[in-house]
Amino acid sequence: MVKTPRKFMNPFSKSISDTNRRFIVLMIPLLAFIILFSFLFDLPFQKVKNGFFSSDSSSSPSKDELLRSKIAVCLVGGARRFELTGPSIMDMILKEYPNSDLFLHSPLDSDAFKFSLLKSAPRIAAVNIFQPQPLPENETFVRVLSAQNSPNGIQGLIQYFDLVEGCVTMIKSHQIKNNIKYDWIIRTRVDGYWNGPLGPENFVPGQYLVPSGSSYGGLNDRFGIGDLTTSTIALSRLSLIPKLDSAGFSNLNSESAFKAQLTTQKVSYQTKRLPFCIISDRKYDFPPTRFGVPVAALSSRGPLSGTKCRPCKPVCVGVCVEYVMMWVEKGWSWTDWADGSLELCNAEESWEDGWEKVFDKVAGKKFGDARKKIHSMNFDDCIHDFIQLKNLTAQWNAPPIEEICALGLTHS
Ligand SMILES: *[C@@H]1O[C@H](CO)[C@@H](O)[C@H](O)[C@H]1NC(C)=O
Ligand SMILES: *[C@@H]1O[C@H](CO)[C@@H](O)[C@H](O)[C@H]1NC(C)=O
């Protein structure tokens, strides 16, 4: 099924032929350069990695071993479209590892009532829904971080870092209370839509695993798995900023701060393709420019490794995706599109009319039913479900249930 909208095809093929010759002339020294660099830097780096972590980092535990180990799943972010993402997180992560304990860390807003869906999660260790408040900014943060490309500037970055780090705080407190230690921490986002199960090959002893692509000048920080040691460093996003400052880093975005955090703390990492995308309501230019953001159709086969996505009828598939993605900067918003894994939306406007139908068709009846349930939920249903959820949760730290439900739903 190769559809190529003419409108986008012509300007691209013209510019390709124009730059064709220059491209090839540039490619030869560039390739030599890349090969040289990989020899210069990769080999010593590999040695450093193995020096620090003596364990055979390539061997992941089997599924059986993982099911016998202690796993914490840290779920962070606002509930925005949780009626679409929640059931997939439940199926592809929580029910894949039913021995895992869920930790939810989320700001209170008018969508928080959607977390009522979690009442069917296998195990819930802690829920922390908090009233968002501005966090203090000081010179250290201003020096190290960049407000560019962050929707809410430096404050937005600090809020996000605090949200992520708060999850480690919850996990550590739960460990102390119950005198346990987790073997693995899976860090994931509330707005992640999973179209395949999280496989055991993504648990790598002694290393931190992140998705490939969408690296924005650093490392893709939309998901991560590591043991307790590597995860503690990877998730301590706020408290490690002064360390980055001492190391002389400045002008960092979320992804480059994340990479600097791991490298300065000598945590080695691996990237793998992972079967999820980040459902977003944001609008982006189409086709994406070199530093633009491609928005995947939810129907893409994937793995999308955390690319932004929405339910849409794709406007660009097959050879069109090749033409669009070859101009997207590899170290920035680029994501792997090989083998037809990616289909693109035109995300210049709000979600299209009839997106619900598109979603239900892609996600199937079970996930579609959850969407409808939230869509038609009333205040009393919400209270009912939240009471169940609270009852299943070991550590409950949230505003009154009535307040959570009333923010998003009118009293009947
Ligand atoms: C800014 O705040 C962080 C964390 O609250 C702190 O570690 C750092 O020392 C502060 N920097 C300055 C210059 O006060
Ligand atoms: C809460 O859970 C206990 C068992 O853990 C159960 O007996 C009780 O009925 C539950 N209460 C509600 C309101 O669901």
Side-chain angles (χ1 to χ4, degrees), residues 87-94 96-97 194-198 367:
S88 75
I89 294 167
M90 207 108 77
D91 267 29
M92 305 303 184
I93 300 177
L94 301 181
E96 271 302 302
Y97 301 93
W194 289 75
N195 77 344
L198 175 65
F367 293 179

Side-chain angles (χ1 to χ4, degrees), residues 138-141 242:
N138 64 25
E139 305 116 75
T140 311
F141 296 127

Side-chain angles (χ1 to χ4, degrees), residues 124-360:
I124 309 170
V127 167
N128 187 352
I129 299 174
F130 61 93
Q131 188 78 54
Q133 264 157 9
L135 294 168
E137 289 173 33
N138 64 25
E139 305 116 75
T140 311
F141 296 127
V142 173
R143 215 164 26 231
V144 173
L145 301 173
S146 156
Q148 244 178 33
N149 298 311
S150 163
N152 298 304
I154 288 187
Q155 180 61 222
L157 273 181
I158 296 179
Q159 296 263 353
Y160 175 56
F161 289 175
D162 184 60
L163 190 66
V164 173
E165 187 153 355
C167 213
V168 189
T169 313
M170 290 166 69
I171 289 169
K172 297 234 149 138
S173 138
H174 190 76
Q175 285 194 147
I176 291 168
K177 274 205 182 87
N178 295 281
N179 195 23
I180 52 170
K181 246 189 159 72
Y182 287 105
D183 301 309
W184 300 99
I185 296 178
I186 301 173
R187 184 250 138 160
T188 190
R189 284 173 54 149
V190 167
D191 52 7
Y193 176 81
W194 289 75
N195 77 344
L198 175 65
E201 72 281 5
N202 298 302
F203 297 74
V204 187
Q207 298 200 5
Y208 202 68
L209 181 116
V210 296
S212 52
S214 304
S215 56
Y216 295 87
L219 274 184
N220 188 331
D221 67 350
R222 294 171 180 177
F223 177 83
I225 300 186
D227 55 30
L228 196 59
T229 312
T230 58
S231 290
T232 302
I233 292 167
L235 304 181
S236 296
R237 308 265 347 232
L238 207 51
S239 56
L240 283 175
I241 297 282
K243 287 248 165 69
L244 301 186
D245 190 33
S246 323
F249 285 99
S250 67
N251 215 29
L252 301 178
N253 61 11
S254 181
E255 289 82 1
S256 51
F258 185 47
K259 184 171 183 178
Q261 202 175 315
L262 295 185
T263 51
T264 56
Q265 301 303 303
K266 314 247 181 323
V267 171
S268 65
Y269 55 84
Q270 249 187 49
T271 62
K272 278 193 202 288
R273 293 180 76 183
L274 285 150
F276 77 102
C277 62
I278 297 293
I279 292 201
S280 172
D281 277 273
R282 276 176 74 185
K283 297 171 187 169
Y284 295 97
D285 286 345
F286 184 84
T289 53
R290 185 174 166 203
F291 292 102
V293 176
V295 177
L298 211 66
S299 53
S300 304
R301 186 160 50 78
L304 290 171
S305 301
T307 312
K308 293 285 171 75
C309 63
R310 54 159 78 179
C312 78
K313 294 188 195 80
V315 298
C316 179
V317 304
V319 73
C320 171
V321 173
E322 281 176 51
Y323 284 131
V324 168
M325 292 306 288
M326 72 183 288
W327 299 105
V328 170
E329 180 66 30
K330 196 110 191 198
W332 201 254
S333 54
W334 181 90
T335 191
D336 206 334
W337 47 265
D339 312 319
S341 57
L342 179 66
E343 300 180 346
L344 292 170
C345 300
N346 179 343
E348 287 185 321
E349 303 296 335
S350 311
W351 289 13
E352 66 205 40
D353 286 341
W355 67 261
E356 293 91 344
K357 243 193 191 144
V358 173
F359 176 83
D360 292 359

